[in-house]
Every structure is written in structure tokens, then in C-alpha cells.
Amino acid sequence: METANGAVAFFKAFDRPNLRVRSTQLDFLKHETPAVRRRREFHAGRECAGLESVGVGPAGEPLWPNSVVGSITHDAGVVVAVVGAKSDFRGIGIDAVCTSSPLRRSIDVNIFATQEELAHVSTSELGMDRLGLLLFSIKESIYKYQFPLTGRALHFHDVDVSALDFTHGTFCARIASERSSLSGHFRY
């Protein structure tokens, strides 16, 4: 899914078409504080999931019904939820980042990207700021994928993005403590 003002990176455990994807674009009122906007996005994400029984865990994560896996993301009024059957998917992780936000563009890429990652993708046409946001989003997607499975909080440097293919919109990554690699898709 592409948005007018941002990028969506998403990780899929398996390539299967039986996912339910719902999204919405919220219009904010000028007087709304960032905290009020964030709460509205949070609740809209659960509405997009289309399940009444999505709870909230201690870290704010969605608690899905036993037969379901899913992921929710929201940023700058863009809200997306992806839900699938646990019998079809091990997990799902998605993230959306608004690339036009001055705050997002000013984030120091070195906080979440290693020198090795930056070297792998130094030929990108995106520029360091946008490339940094893409790496951030991929790592956030992987975090959302693995947290319901492991209960483990990852830090950005726990995930190594080893390859980005801008022609096909794919990536390869690995969680530091695991042997297997993960692959997924992104749109920018």
C-alpha cells in the first residue's frame, strides 16, 4: 500500500493472498494536540482491524484473538491494519512512516542503522534521510512481526538489514540472535 505522504514497509512470514487489509486517512482538527491525534490513530487502527476483541497488551501492543495474527500501524493520520489467520501466517508486521514530516526527516540515521547497513545500501537514490526512514520502518515491521511470537523487545541494532532491492521492493534482514533470515516487501 502506498500513501500520498509516506512509505509503507511490511514484513510477511509467507507470501499468501488471504490477508485482510484495511486503511483510513484521518483528518485532524487544528486545535488537536499531538497526544489527542495519537489516541485517535490508535483507536482507528483497532477499528481498521475489524475485530471487536483486539485487546491492548502491557507495551501497548495489540492482543489478537487466538486464531488471528495481525499488525497495525499509524502515522500522520494514515492508519493501516493487516489481519490474517494464524493457520496461514506465523506473524505479520507492518509500518508506515510519513516522509514529509520535518521531525521524521531530522532523525539521526545512526541511531537505528549500523555502518554495515549504510554501506550495503549506499548506492541508493533516496538520499540518507529517506533511506534512514526506510531502514527504520523495516526494523519496526520486523519488531511487530516477532514480538507476539517471542515477547522479546528488540533494539534497532538487533536487526541487520543486509539487502534492499529497490527494483522489486524487497529486503532481507536478520535478527542478531537468530540464524535464519527474514524477507519482506516495501513501497516507497
Side-chain angles (χ1 to χ4, degrees), residues 7-98:
V8 175
F10 54 95
F11 175 80
K12 297 188 295 188
F14 304 100
D15 281 328
R16 293 195 183 165
N18 49 343
L19 287 174
R20 182 174 61 219
V21 179
R22 292 185 180 163
S23 65
T24 189
Q25 174 76 46
L26 300 177
D27 293 320
F28 294 126
L29 303 174
K30 288 183 181 182
H31 70 276
E32 287 182 314
T33 65
V36 168
R37 291 177 180 193
R38 188 93 177 135
R39 275 194 304 274
R40 284 187 57 208
E41 288 176 340
F42 180 88
H43 293 294
R46 275 132 182 90
E47 288 176 22
C48 281
L51 300 169
E52 293 179 19
S53 58
V54 177
V56 180
E61 76 277 13
L63 296 177
W64 302 99
N66 287 337
S67 62
V68 172
V69 294
S71 189
I72 299 171
T73 187
H74 48 88
D75 189 35
V78 174
V79 181
V80 182
V82 179
V83 178
K86 194 176 270 186
S87 59
D88 293 329
F89 297 92
R90 184 169 182 225
I92 299 171
I94 60 170
D95 190 49
V97 176
C98 175

Side-chain angles (χ1 to χ4, degrees), residues 8-10 134 138 163-172 183-188:
V8 175
F10 54 95
L134 179 59
I138 289 170
L164 286 174
D165 180 339
F166 290 95
T167 302
H168 298 100
T170 60
F171 67 85
C172 235
S183 62
H185 303 272
F186 65 89
R187 296 243 176 143
Y188 211 91

